[in-house]
C-alpha cells in the first residue's frame, strides 16, 4: 500500500487507460484524510476536469448544500473521491475497463482513510462498490455492510438537478446518514457531552458540569480532554477496521 504522497504522485502521472489522453487534470480527491465518512462518485465532469477537484460544478454546489444540512463538509469531516480519476468524454458513464484500470487508486485511498461509512453517489458507484445489480431508484438510502464498513447510496447530485422531485427522498437519505454517523462514528460530530463511552471494559462517564470538554474515568477519577479521548478510542478502533472488497 502506498502512502498519500506516493499514491497521489502515481495517480497524477497515470496512463493506465485512454481517459488520460484528453484530460486536463487528474481529479484525485479532496477532504479530511482521517474522515470516518467517505463519499464516492463515478467520475469527474467538465468543471472537475478543469479545476482538478471533485464535485465543483453545479452538482458539487448542491452536494455541499446537502452535506451542510447534516453538519458535514469537505473542509472538516468527510473525504470525497471518484471511481475514475479522469473525465470520461462528454460525461458518459465510465466503462468497466476504465473502472478496472483506476480502481486500485480508490482501494488505496480507502485503505489509508479506513472510513466507517461509505456513501456512493449515484448508480454507477453503487453498482461497483455495493453490488453489481444495485437499483438506485429502489435501494437508495438502504444500508449494506461490507467488511465492517456501513455502505449506502444516494442519488447523484446531477440526477437531483435533472429531477428535483428526488429532493424529498434525498433529504430522508441524508437524515439516515446522520443517524448512522451518530451510531458508528466517534469523532465526526465531536459529540462528547452527556454521554458515557466504553472501551476495553472501562467506562468513561460524562465530565463534571463545569468541564464540558473533559471526561472523567470512573475508576481512577482521571480527567481526559474530549479530543484526546477521541484520539485514543479512534486509534484502537481503526486497527480492526477491514477494507471492503470491491
Amino acid at each position: 500500500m502506498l502512502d498519500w504522497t506516493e499514491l497521489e504522485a502515481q495517480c497524477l502521472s497515470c496512463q493506465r487507460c485512454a481517459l488520460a489522453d484528453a484530460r486536463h487534470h487528474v481529479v484525485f480527491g479532496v477532504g479530511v484524510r482521517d474522515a470516518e465518512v467517505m463519499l464516492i462518485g463515478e467520475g469527474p465532469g467538465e468543471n472537475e476536469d478543469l479545476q482538478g477537484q471533485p464535485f465543483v460544478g453545479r452538482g458539487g454546489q448542491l452536494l455541499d448544500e446537502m452535506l451542510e444540512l447534516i453538519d458535514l463538509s469537505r473542509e472538516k469531516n468527510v473525504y470525497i473521491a471518484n471511481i475514475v480519476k479522469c473525465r470520461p468524454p462528454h460525461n458518459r458513464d465510465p466503462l468497466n475497463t476504465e473502472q478496472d484500470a483506476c480502481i486500485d487508486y480508490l482501494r488505496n485511498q480507502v485503505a489509508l482513510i479506513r472510513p466507517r461509512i461509505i456513501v456512493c453517489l449515484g448508480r454507477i458507484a453503487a453498482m461497483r462498490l455495493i453490488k453489481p445489480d444495485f437499483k438506485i431508484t429502489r435501494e437508495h438510502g438502504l444500508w449494506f455492510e461490507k467488511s465492517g464498513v456501513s455502505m449506502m447510496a444516494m442519488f447523484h447530485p446531477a440526477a437531483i438537478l435533472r429531477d428535483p422531485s428526488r429532493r424529498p427522498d434525498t433529504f430522508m437519505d441524508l437524515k439516515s446518514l446522520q443517524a448512522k454517523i451518530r451510531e458508528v462514528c466517534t469523532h465526526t460530530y465531536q459529540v462528547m457531552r452527556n454521554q458515557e463511552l466504553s472501551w476495553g471494559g472501562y467506562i468513561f462517564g460524562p465530565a463534571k458540569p463545569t468541564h464540558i470538554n473533559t471526561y472523567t474515568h470512573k475508576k481512577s477519577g482521571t480527567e481526559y480532554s474530549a479530543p484526546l479521548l477521541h484520539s485514543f478510542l479512534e486509534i484502537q478502533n481503526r486497527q480492526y477496521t477491514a477494507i471492503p472488497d470491491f
Side-chain angles (χ1 to χ4, degrees), residues 70-163:
I70 55 171
D71 199 26
L72 300 178
S73 78
R74 64 182 76 196
E75 289 82 16
K76 67 180 182 180
N77 55 8
V78 301
Y79 191 88
I80 304 174
N82 284 302
I83 292 175
V84 298
K85 311 301 188 188
C86 300
R87 180 195 179 195
H90 309 294
N91 292 349
R92 64 160 170 77
D93 295 342
L95 304 176
N96 287 337
T97 53
E98 294 162 350
Q99 295 182 41
D100 291 343
C102 210
I103 197 67
D104 280 345
Y105 296 128
L106 180 63
R107 288 178 178 138
N108 204 144
Q109 286 174 307
V110 172
L112 288 168
I113 295 170
R114 293 188 174 270
R116 295 179 180 275
I117 295 173
I118 292 177
V119 178
C120 299
L121 298 171
R123 171 181 57 90
I124 300 300
M127 291 174 63
R128 179 72 197 213
L129 303 184
I130 298 178
K131 59 177 185 172
D133 60 346
F134 193 94
K135 306 296 183 186
I136 190 69
T137 54
R138 294 204 305 264
E139 297 179 293
H140 68 86
L142 300 182
W143 287 99
F144 301 80
E145 185 168 310
K146 297 182 73 173
S147 302
V149 178
S150 298
M151 305 181 70
M152 64 100 82
M154 300 170 55
F155 290 116
H156 194 283
I160 301 170
L161 289 173
R162 290 192 299 268
D163 183 1

Side-chain angles (χ1 to χ4, degrees), residues 121-212:
L121 298 171
R123 171 181 57 90
I124 300 300
M127 291 174 63
R128 179 72 197 213
L129 303 184
I130 298 178
K131 59 177 185 172
D133 60 346
F134 193 94
K135 306 296 183 186
I136 190 69
T137 54
R138 294 204 305 264
E139 297 179 293
H140 68 86
L142 300 182
W143 287 99
F144 301 80
E145 185 168 310
K146 297 182 73 173
S147 302
V149 178
S150 298
M151 305 181 70
M152 64 100 82
M154 300 170 55
F155 290 116
H156 194 283
I160 301 170
L161 289 173
R162 290 192 299 268
D163 183 1
S165 69
R166 291 173 168 161
R167 284 177 178 261
D169 283 342
T170 300
F171 178 76
M172 297 306 297
D173 293 347
L174 287 168
K175 297 301 290 182
S176 178
L177 172 57
Q178 183 182 53
K180 181 63 70 172
I181 291 170
R182 289 172 173 161
E183 176 188 343
V184 305
C185 295
T186 62
H187 68 255
T188 298
Y189 286 148
Q190 291 290 341
V191 176
M192 294 295 296
R193 300 173 185 175
N194 301 318
Q195 292 179 306
E196 284 192 349
L197 299 181
S198 63
W199 178 85
Y202 292 89
I203 302 296
F204 292 84
K208 300 172 184 178
T210 55
H211 298 168
I212 61 173

